[in-house]
Amino acid sequence: MRVREARVLEVVRPGPLTTVQDGGRRGVAQLGVPRAGALDPVAYRLANRLVGNGEGAAVLETTLGGVAVRASAPVVAAVTGAPAPVTVDGRPVPWGAPVAVAAGAVLEVGAVTHGVRSYVAFAGGVAVPPVLGSRSADLLSGLGPAPLAVGDRLPLGEDGGVPVHAEVVPLPGPPVELVLRLEPGPRADWFGPDATAVLARARYRVAAASNRVALRTEGPPLERVRGGELPSEGMVLGAVQVPPDGRPVVFLADHPTTGGYPVVGVVPEEDLAAAAQAVPGIPLRFVPVRAGRGVRG
């Protein structure tokens, strides 16, 4: 009886930061565990659709410089998110479409031409062991697999044999100006009654220190009208916390579940995919809105 060869990806070039991500850890914030997961969920879901995976399959999330992996067995792959050149054994192949990768071939995603993060899906999904219900790497807590390194071997799940006929829906391009809606936060009174209006008038830029934990800003500080310390309290995805330097910080997927700085507002989850693709230095504006449905942690 012939034993089927294991389906494995070998990391040839990890890029500046490539991690395994899926939909994240849900329902464990009360344990102090962040959600993690793909920062651009729209691009993540499309990548999985293109290769016939279910929505929860794990993919590779690259940052700026791409990644290169060698497949041990034939596999269908797709790259979405930030546009980047894609090759198989040095030959150009389409971005944003299913691509056949032969056994032993190297799939390489190059440096992004726009945006920040690309998503690389493989039929069957990246099948590293789940931790607390997710295969996602969490850079803040250290849960899940470590960022990729040369020589790492990543198992793939079984290809379900689903024909790949995904209808490609155009993704929005990476923003040239990041516009984030801002719902009222629980500690806006620490900044005066017109705090959100002050934020709306101010002009910020995306800071180079931004990462999977938070999008940081450069611009005019928001001044407090209250002094003293705030006891640590729960934080949700999209919370806009204001540290002592007065420059707002927008919490992303790997954010802490508690914090001691006041939260002036909350960015709705739907706006955070654009934040995931915002390159350092682009303009950022906050647009105050009335609180809508609940914001999820």
Side-chain angles (χ1 to χ4, degrees):
M1 179 177 177
R2 184 178 179 182
V3 178
R4 186 173 181 180
E5 181 183 3
R7 288 160 40 86
V8 174
L9 299 174
E10 178 187 356
V11 179
V12 176
R13 182 180 65 82
L17 176 65
T18 301
T19 59
V20 176
Q21 299 294 338
D22 58 16
R25 296 179 177 86
R26 307 284 175 141
V28 289
Q30 75 275 14
L31 303 177
V33 178
R35 179 188 297 187
L39 283 193
D40 186 341
V42 179
Y44 158 72
R45 289 192 295 266
L46 177 57
N48 272 325
R49 284 179 54 201
L50 288 171
V51 299
N53 288 341
E55 287 195 358
V59 305
L60 301 182
E61 178 185 272
T62 74
T63 309
L64 295 174
V67 68
V69 294
R70 178 178 287 109
S72 69
V75 66
V76 176
V79 183
T80 63
V86 184
T87 61
V88 174
D89 279 348
R91 297 186 301 275
V93 295
W95 172 91
V99 171
V101 182
V106 174
L107 171 74
E108 181 159 18
V109 182
V112 300
T113 57
H114 302 85
V116 178
R117 296 174 174 89
S118 299
Y119 292 84
V120 193
F122 302 89
V126 179
V128 296
V131 178
L132 293 177
S134 170
R135 294 182 167 89
S136 290
D138 182 339
L139 301 185
L140 183 65
S141 71
L143 290 174
L148 268 56
V150 173
D152 283 353
R153 292 174 62 83
L154 306 174
L156 293 176
E158 288 297 317
D159 183 352
V162 178
V164 179
H165 297 298
E167 179 182 350
V168 178
V169 177
L171 289 173
V176 294
E177 178 186 40
L178 182 59
V179 179
L180 299 177
R181 291 174 295 167
L182 187 69
E183 297 179 350
R187 303 298 176 188
D189 59 327
W190 280 57
F191 303 95
D194 61 343
T196 54
V198 171
L199 280 176
R201 291 193 298 268
R203 292 297 177 263
Y204 293 95
R205 295 179 302 278
V206 174
S210 300
N211 54 25
R212 284 187 47 85
V213 176
L215 183 143
R216 301 182 183 277
T217 65
E218 297 173 346
L222 188 62
E223 295 184 5
R224 289 188 184 183
V225 296
R226 292 181 57 177
E229 298 294 326
L230 180 69
S232 185
E233 56 187 1
M235 296 288 141
V236 299
L237 183 68
V240 180
Q241 194 180 58
V242 183
D245 68 5
R247 291 172 177 84
V249 172
V250 183
F251 277 160
L252 302 179
D254 289 359
H255 72 86
T257 55
T258 60
Y261 300 137
V263 173
V264 68
V266 179
V267 174
E269 186 173 343
E270 293 80 5
D271 290 9
L272 297 180
Q277 301 295 359
V279 299
I282 71 166
L284 183 157
R285 285 193 294 121
F286 292 102
V287 178
V289 296
R290 294 180 62 86
R293 57 185 175 84
V295 181
R296 293 167 288 179

